[in-house]
Amino acid sequence: MSVARFSFPAFEGRFNLADIEAIRTVDDLNEALGSIARLFGFREYCIHDDLQPAPGWAQPSRIVSSLPEAFHTGIDSIHADGRDDFLQHVWRGNIPAFWSLDTVRAKSDAAVAAALLAHFAHYDISCGINIPQMNKVGRLRVLSFSGHRDAMQPDKIEALNYIAILLLKRFDEIADEVGSSGQDSINPMELKFLQAYANGMEADMLAQKFSLSASTVSFILESVRRKLHADTLPHAVAEAIRRGVID
């Protein structure tokens, strides 16, 4: 499916719902997200999945992302206690939140701020926006865009928020289709990928090995995590080993 197919003329009063309905796979979703990022002046995108704004929460899963796995693991290592205060701010407000490097510099923990500034500079990112939405089972997801641009005007934030609502709804539908097709049983491909992950292969490495996008690989891993009723992928690995379905 061509990226050009996803035009999203949101500012001309002609938003095309067919663009959303045309999304059938994770790769389609990636193409649509890339097109939307460019339309709104961003470069990267990510869906943070299954967020739980409660004491003791761990870093959220990232199923769909244009950023490499190393970017996310780097963020996780900076927030070593598992707490990203900006995401918590998004959860509490439950409204889109735009951030810039000034937002990062204003953090109360100077060491964390310095580490984040260096990390974002390494990946050439100077701003972003996080858009939270509650899914039908009461779990919070955040669609994030990042890159370089000036602060967003309210009308553009409103337009992007509207598109995010529709995209995350379609994401849920795709996830339901994947889950129902397996009827909660773990299929051989999911086991193969989970075993490889347990052996130390990250999504980027699995994508290269099996000629798939990293986001598709992450989606498969997250599907098996849900089927194992695990909170995290390491938890899924432990549960699968306990059940004897992987080594």
Side-chain angles (χ1 to χ4, degrees):
M1 187 173 293
S2 169
V3 172
R5 180 171 183 172
F6 299 107
S7 56
F8 300 101
F11 305 121
E12 301 173 24
R14 301 195 308 271
F15 185 81
N16 186 3
L17 292 178
D19 283 336
I20 298 294
E21 294 167 357
I23 297 171
R24 292 286 182 270
T25 67
V26 182
D27 287 334
D28 287 349
L29 186 64
N30 272 287
E31 291 182 4
L33 287 167
S35 179
I36 293 165
R38 290 187 294 275
L39 174 66
F40 285 86
F42 294 107
R43 188 183 69 243
E44 310 292 352
Y45 56 83
C46 177
I47 294 178
H48 303 270
D49 186 52
D50 284 353
L51 278 65
Q52 301 179 72
W57 64 275
Q59 288 295 334
S61 303
R62 290 97 176 182
I63 290 185
V64 175
S65 179
S66 61
L67 287 157
E69 186 72 15
F71 173 83
H72 298 301
T73 56
I75 293 289
D76 291 349
S77 66
I78 293 169
H79 297 292
D81 62 354
R83 295 179 180 274
D84 182 332
D85 58 354
F86 187 74
L87 279 182
Q88 289 196 67
H89 168 73
V90 172
W91 290 337
R92 287 194 297 268
N94 201 27
I95 57 174
F98 185 87
W99 64 270
S100 67
L101 295 184
D102 287 340
T103 311
V104 179
R105 293 188 186 99
K107 287 181 177 291
S108 58
D109 190 319
V112 168
L116 286 172
L117 288 170
H119 190 68
F120 289 133
H122 180 75
Y123 289 93
D124 193 30
I125 290 173
S126 66
C127 73
I129 186 168
N130 289 347
I131 305 171
Q133 291 296 326
M134 197 73 71
N135 70 7
K136 64 184 180 182
V137 296
R139 303 294 287 269
L140 196 63
R141 292 196 172 122
V142 171
L143 175 54
S144 299
F145 295 97
S146 59
H148 292 278
R149 62 157 297 147
D150 296 330
M152 296 181 73
Q153 296 300 313
D155 62 328
K156 292 190 176 182
I157 291 177
E158 183 178 352
L160 185 54
N161 183 58
Y162 174 64
I163 294 174
I165 290 170
L166 297 176
L167 277 174
L168 290 174
K169 180 176 183 295
R170 184 68 193 118
F171 174 86
D172 276 339
E173 291 167 352
I174 293 172
D176 286 346
E177 289 162 9
V178 171
S180 62
S181 66
Q183 296 179 343
D184 285 335
S185 61
I186 304 171
N187 63 50
M189 174 179 282
E190 290 169 337
L191 283 179
K192 178 170 65 176
F193 278 50
L194 188 63
Q195 181 70 70
Y197 177 84
N199 292 341
M201 294 187 72
E202 296 288 351
D204 291 345
M205 300 166 63
L206 284 164
Q208 285 187 335
K209 179 176 180 179
F210 295 103
S211 299
L212 296 170
S213 72
S215 287
T216 297
V217 171
S218 294
F219 197 82
I220 293 169
L221 289 172
E222 288 300 309
S223 174
V224 71
R225 176 185 68 79
R226 289 189 183 90
K227 291 178 181 179
L228 288 166
H229 305 288
D231 294 327
T232 64
L233 279 174
H235 182 194
V237 169
E239 179 62 20
I241 292 173
R242 186 188 70 80
R243 297 186 189 187
V245 294
I246 65 171
D247 301 328

